[in-house]
Amino acid sequence: MDTASFVEVLETEGRLLADAAEEAGPGAPVPSCPGWEIRDLLAHTGTVHRWAAAFVADGHPAPRPMGEHPGLDGTGLLAWYRDGHRRLVDTLAGAAPDVECFTFLTGSPSALAFWARRQAHETAVHRFDAEAARGGNPSPVATDFAVDGVDELLRGFHSRHKSRVRTGRPRVLRVRATDADAVWTVRLSQEPPVTTRDARGDAECELAGPAAELYPALWNRRPLPAWSGDAELAALWRETSAVV
């Protein structure tokens, strides 16, 4: 997927999130984020959107903290969220392709590509949260976007020292999208996981399913579609891999 495609997904996912939040109401609990209500979800995601947009807009080269939550509620909070989402989309769509600014995952071809991808997935995952609070079936995601979201999680987020997915001895977990040419081998140990985009070697457990089901499941927003092998490794993922 290219940067423009990620920005297009970000725009759609942000609108779906806001619509689901409005239908659910600010006090609706978010089952996939224990302890959160819709008001917390909107405040968090809206703050992230403004934080991300500012790096690109300012060309800011170093980390900096997120702003404070807005202290709004109800229709005011929803309008604030929509405004920040619109600002992020417009900032990314209008930025120079060679803009230089802070990023925090490796492997992106440019800073702009990083932020477009990261915010598209940030928003899609939290859209699942908003729709879970509202109830009903979640909106679908395209297979290529879902595969990319699994890849960002496994080879991006869980390659960092912050990852809590650790084992006392070396173990191997495999993740397979059954409807795409996409398979990952996750080598676990006392260090951060090391993930490669291949199916080399034996695995003790395999998590498998259509990409659009694997994506929210691996981000701990939906149940795992299927697994085989060592149940302990499947449980380890569910218990230690959550990213808010």
mmCIF file of all heavy atoms in Angstrom, residues 6-25:
data_model
loop_
_atom_site.group_PDB
_atom_site.id
_atom_site.type_symbol
_atom_site.label_atom_id
_atom_site.label_comp_id
_atom_site.label_asym_id
_atom_site.label_seq_id
_atom_site.Cartn_x
_atom_site.Cartn_y
_atom_site.Cartn_z
ATOM 1 N N PHE A 6 -3.061 4.752 2.448
ATOM 2 C CA PHE A 6 -3.196 4.786 3.900
ATOM 3 C C PHE A 6 -3.980 6.013 4.366
ATOM 4 O O PHE A 6 -4.795 5.931 5.285
ATOM 5 C CB PHE A 6 -1.823 4.763 4.570
ATOM 6 C CG PHE A 6 -1.178 3.407 4.601
ATOM 7 C CD1 PHE A 6 0.034 3.187 3.971
ATOM 8 C CD2 PHE A 6 -1.785 2.346 5.262
ATOM 9 C CE1 PHE A 6 0.636 1.938 4.004
ATOM 10 C CE2 PHE A 6 -1.190 1.083 5.297
ATOM 11 C CZ PHE A 6 0.026 0.879 4.665
ATOM 12 N N VAL A 7 -3.736 7.150 3.736
ATOM 13 C CA VAL A 7 -4.480 8.361 4.108
ATOM 14 C C VAL A 7 -5.966 8.184 3.804
ATOM 15 O O VAL A 7 -6.834 8.601 4.588
ATOM 16 C CB VAL A 7 -3.906 9.597 3.383
ATOM 17 C CG1 VAL A 7 -4.775 10.821 3.642
ATOM 18 C CG2 VAL A 7 -2.472 9.862 3.838
ATOM 19 N N GLU A 8 -6.270 7.535 2.697
ATOM 20 C CA GLU A 8 -7.673 7.277 2.348
ATOM 21 C C GLU A 8 -8.329 6.369 3.382
ATOM 22 O O GLU A 8 -9.463 6.609 3.818
ATOM 23 C CB GLU A 8 -7.739 6.633 0.959
ATOM 24 C CG GLU A 8 -9.148 6.405 0.460
ATOM 25 C CD GLU A 8 -9.177 5.829 -0.945
ATOM 26 O OE1 GLU A 8 -8.149 5.909 -1.650
ATOM 27 O OE2 GLU A 8 -10.235 5.295 -1.337
ATOM 28 N N VAL A 9 -7.600 5.320 3.809
ATOM 29 C CA VAL A 9 -8.134 4.434 4.845
ATOM 30 C C VAL A 9 -8.321 5.199 6.154
ATOM 31 O O VAL A 9 -9.342 5.051 6.844
ATOM 32 C CB VAL A 9 -7.207 3.220 5.048
ATOM 33 C CG1 VAL A 9 -7.636 2.415 6.276
ATOM 34 C CG2 VAL A 9 -7.211 2.328 3.824
ATOM 35 N N LEU A 10 -7.335 6.013 6.513
ATOM 36 C CA LEU A 10 -7.427 6.825 7.731
ATOM 37 C C LEU A 10 -8.682 7.693 7.712
ATOM 38 O O LEU A 10 -9.392 7.786 8.732
ATOM 39 C CB LEU A 10 -6.185 7.700 7.853
ATOM 40 C CG LEU A 10 -6.230 8.832 8.880
ATOM 41 C CD1 LEU A 10 -6.386 8.281 10.291
ATOM 42 C CD2 LEU A 10 -4.975 9.696 8.770
ATOM 43 N N GLU A 11 -8.970 8.311 6.595
ATOM 44 C CA GLU A 11 -10.155 9.166 6.519
ATOM 45 C C GLU A 11 -11.424 8.349 6.761
ATOM 46 O O GLU A 11 -12.294 8.744 7.548
ATOM 47 C CB GLU A 11 -10.214 9.861 5.158
ATOM 48 C CG GLU A 11 -11.404 10.779 5.020
ATOM 49 C CD GLU A 11 -11.268 11.748 3.860
ATOM 50 O OE1 GLU A 11 -10.518 11.459 2.928
ATOM 51 O OE2 GLU A 11 -11.933 12.801 3.900
ATOM 52 N N THR A 12 -11.527 7.201 6.101
ATOM 53 C CA THR A 12 -12.709 6.362 6.248
ATOM 54 C C THR A 12 -12.845 5.826 7.671
ATOM 55 O O THR A 12 -13.927 5.883 8.280
ATOM 56 C CB THR A 12 -12.650 5.189 5.257
ATOM 57 O OG1 THR A 12 -12.635 5.704 3.923
ATOM 58 C CG2 THR A 12 -13.847 4.264 5.432
ATOM 59 N N GLU A 13 -11.743 5.308 8.217
ATOM 60 C CA GLU A 13 -11.792 4.706 9.546
ATOM 61 C C GLU A 13 -12.123 5.740 10.619
ATOM 62 O O GLU A 13 -12.848 5.449 11.584
ATOM 63 C CB GLU A 13 -10.461 4.017 9.867
ATOM 64 C CG GLU A 13 -10.170 2.790 9.018
ATOM 65 C CD GLU A 13 -11.093 1.630 9.326
ATOM 66 O OE1 GLU A 13 -11.683 1.590 10.421
ATOM 67 O OE2 GLU A 13 -11.224 0.731 8.469
ATOM 68 N N GLY A 14 -11.606 6.945 10.464
ATOM 69 C CA GLY A 14 -11.906 7.990 11.442
ATOM 70 C C GLY A 14 -13.374 8.365 11.456
ATOM 71 O O GLY A 14 -13.952 8.641 12.526
ATOM 72 N N ARG A 15 -13.985 8.403 10.282
ATOM 73 C CA ARG A 15 -15.411 8.712 10.209
ATOM 74 C C ARG A 15 -16.244 7.585 10.809
ATOM 75 O O ARG A 15 -17.221 7.822 11.526
ATOM 76 C CB ARG A 15 -15.828 8.977 8.765
ATOM 77 C CG ARG A 15 -15.357 10.331 8.225
ATOM 78 C CD ARG A 15 -15.992 10.673 6.908
ATOM 79 N NE ARG A 15 -15.380 9.951 5.782
ATOM 80 C CZ ARG A 15 -15.886 8.889 5.197
ATOM 81 N NH1 ARG A 15 -17.047 8.378 5.601
ATOM 82 N NH2 ARG A 15 -15.267 8.297 4.183
ATOM 83 N N LEU A 16 -15.853 6.343 10.509
ATOM 84 C CA LEU A 16 -16.574 5.202 11.081
ATOM 85 C C LEU A 16 -16.469 5.191 12.601
ATOM 86 O O LEU A 16 -17.447 4.888 13.301
ATOM 87 C CB LEU A 16 -16.005 3.892 10.511
ATOM 88 C CG LEU A 16 -16.319 3.584 9.045
ATOM 89 C CD1 LEU A 16 -15.515 2.366 8.584
ATOM 90 C CD2 LEU A 16 -17.811 3.348 8.840
ATOM 91 N N LEU A 17 -15.284 5.530 13.123
ATOM 92 C CA LEU A 17 -15.107 5.581 14.565
ATOM 93 C C LEU A 17 -16.044 6.615 15.190
ATOM 94 O O LEU A 17 -16.735 6.335 16.174
ATOM 95 C CB LEU A 17 -13.643 5.896 14.888
ATOM 96 C CG LEU A 17 -13.167 5.759 16.334
ATOM 97 C CD1 LEU A 17 -11.639 5.641 16.378
ATOM 98 C CD2 LEU A 17 -13.609 6.911 17.227
ATOM 99 N N ALA A 18 -16.064 7.806 14.604
ATOM 100 C CA ALA A 18 -16.912 8.865 15.147
ATOM 101 C C ALA A 18 -18.391 8.485 15.083
ATOM 102 O O ALA A 18 -19.149 8.734 16.035
ATOM 103 C CB ALA A 18 -16.664 10.164 14.384
ATOM 104 N N ASP A 19 -18.805 7.884 13.982
ATOM 105 C CA ASP A 19 -20.212 7.491 13.836
ATOM 106 C C ASP A 19 -20.600 6.445 14.885
ATOM 107 O O ASP A 19 -21.670 6.528 15.496
ATOM 108 C CB ASP A 19 -20.459 6.937 12.433
ATOM 109 C CG ASP A 19 -20.361 8.008 11.356
ATOM 110 O OD1 ASP A 19 -20.356 9.211 11.695
ATOM 111 O OD2 ASP A 19 -20.271 7.635 10.164
ATOM 112 N N ALA A 20 -19.713 5.449 15.086
ATOM 113 C CA ALA A 20 -20.000 4.414 16.071
ATOM 114 C C ALA A 20 -20.025 4.995 17.484
ATOM 115 O O ALA A 20 -20.873 4.631 18.307
ATOM 116 C CB ALA A 20 -18.971 3.292 15.980
ATOM 117 N N ALA A 21 -19.100 5.909 17.762
ATOM 118 C CA ALA A 21 -19.064 6.552 19.076
ATOM 119 C C ALA A 21 -20.327 7.354 19.333
ATOM 120 O O ALA A 21 -20.875 7.346 20.440
ATOM 121 C CB ALA A 21 -17.829 7.443 19.177
ATOM 122 N N GLU A 22 -20.794 8.053 18.318
ATOM 123 C CA GLU A 22 -22.016 8.847 18.473
ATOM 124 C C GLU A 22 -23.215 7.950 18.753
ATOM 125 O O GLU A 22 -24.057 8.263 19.607
ATOM 126 C CB GLU A 22 -22.245 9.674 17.213
ATOM 127 C CG GLU A 22 -23.416 10.626 17.313
ATOM 128 C CD GLU A 22 -23.514 11.558 16.119
ATOM 129 O OE1 GLU A 22 -22.980 11.212 15.033
ATOM 130 O OE2 GLU A 22 -24.126 12.632 16.258
ATOM 131 N N GLU A 23 -23.288 6.816 18.054
ATOM 132 C CA GLU A 23 -24.394 5.891 18.260
ATOM 133 C C GLU A 23 -24.318 5.236 19.639
ATOM 134 O O GLU A 23 -25.353 5.001 20.287
ATOM 135 C CB GLU A 23 -24.378 4.811 17.179
ATOM 136 C CG GLU A 23 -24.708 5.324 15.781
ATOM 137 C CD GLU A 23 -24.553 4.240 14.731
ATOM 138 O OE1 GLU A 23 -24.856 3.070 15.038
ATOM 139 O OE2 GLU A 23 -24.118 4.554 13.609
ATOM 140 N N ALA A 24 -23.114 4.931 20.094
ATOM 141 C CA ALA A 24 -22.959 4.252 21.382
ATOM 142 C C ALA A 24 -23.247 5.182 22.553
ATOM 143 O O ALA A 24 -23.813 4.762 23.561
ATOM 144 C CB ALA A 24 -21.547 3.687 21.503
ATOM 145 N N GLY A 25 -22.831 6.443 22.439
ATOM 146 C CA GLY A 25 -22.986 7.401 23.528
ATOM 147 C C GLY A 25 -21.733 7.461 24.379
ATOM 148 O O GLY A 25 -20.994 6.478 24.504
#
